[in-house]
């Protein structure tokens, strides 16, 4: 698999991947189209240096993702992140 930064073109595949996982109760009654629209807005916000969205691809199939959010940390010199 290859890991790379997500792009707007990845949104439909990311929506399908998240729904296929079936791990998020909040997505139980959400259509692929509704999630795609929501993710389009979120991916735009994720283009800031405060967010990182990576996807793992195996050939043309999405097989994973990671989202990190960077916050200012008062007790260290750089930002603190959570995944």
């Amino acid at each position: 698999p290859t890991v790379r930064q997500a792009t707007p073109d990845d949104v439909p595949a990311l929506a399908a991947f998240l729904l296929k996982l079936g791990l998020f109760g909040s997505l139980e009654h959400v259509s692929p189209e509704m999630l795609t629209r929501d993710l389009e807005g979120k991916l735009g916000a994720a283009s800031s240096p405060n967010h990182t969205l990576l996807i793992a691809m195996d050939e043309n199939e999405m097989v994973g993702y990671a989202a990190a959010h960077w916050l200012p940390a008062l007790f260290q010199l750089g930002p603190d992140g959570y995944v």
Side-chain angles (χ1 to χ4, degrees):
T2 349
V3 176
R4 63 174 173 76
Q5 187 78 35
T7 69
D9 291 339
D10 297 316
V11 169
L14 181 58
F17 181 77
L18 292 172
L19 292 172
K20 181 180 169 185
L21 282 177
L23 296 175
F24 307 104
S26 60
L27 298 180
E28 198 171 291
H29 302 290
V30 174
S31 71
E33 297 78 19
M34 185 184 297
L35 184 55
T36 296
R37 282 193 305 273
D38 185 64
L39 290 175
E40 286 170 344
K42 289 179 179 169
L43 190 61
S47 65
S48 93
N50 296 326
H51 306 284
T52 303
L53 180 58
L54 304 173
I55 58 169
M57 301 292 291
D58 189 8
E59 306 238 348
N60 291 326
E61 181 182 359
M62 187 174 298
V63 294
Y65 81 98
H69 310 281
W70 307 99
L71 305 168
L74 300 177
F75 53 86
Q76 62 190 33
L77 296 180
D80 188 23
Y82 68 94
V83 179

